[in-house]
Amino acid sequence: MTVKVYSTPTCPWCTRVKEYLSSKNVDFVDYDVSSDRDKAMEMINKSGQRGVPVLDIEGNIIIGFDQQNIDKLLNL
């Protein structure tokens, strides 16, 4: 399963979502949209949002640290 996290280094909710995924032993790829314009555009195209964090779990988009939806999609 591929989990993509679109985040910025200064975003506290981004840090929390990445810490949460790590605590559940979920592998993820982190994209810093503050320095990667292509990934920032990819995130906006997928989510319609400029805010972070945005998670892409197997094509399902989650905006923000929505633990309930994250758990449901990852079967945690």
Side-chain angles (χ1 to χ4, degrees):
M1 175 174 291
T2 303
V3 176
K4 296 178 184 175
V5 178
Y6 299 90
S7 67
T8 63
T10 57
C11 161
W13 287 108
C14 300
T15 301
R16 290 203 41 200
V17 77
K18 290 183 279 188
E19 287 173 350
Y20 179 72
L21 292 172
S22 293
S23 76
K24 298 293 184 180
N25 296 314
V26 175
D27 290 328
F28 62 91
V29 180
D30 180 35
Y31 298 113
D32 178 359
V33 296
S34 69
S35 64
D36 188 334
R37 179 165 164 68
D38 290 337
K39 290 298 177 187
M41 295 308 297
E42 181 179 296
M43 176 191 79
I44 293 166
N45 290 334
K46 286 182 180 184
S47 68
Q49 299 287 317
R50 292 181 178 272
V52 286
V54 171
L55 285 79
D56 179 342
I57 302 173
E58 296 291 304
N60 297 287
I61 303 302
I62 297 177
I63 298 164
F65 182 19
D66 183 343
Q67 184 176 334
Q68 187 174 5
N69 270 335
I70 292 168
D71 288 353
K72 187 169 86 174
L73 288 170
L74 296 174
N75 298 313
L76 296 177

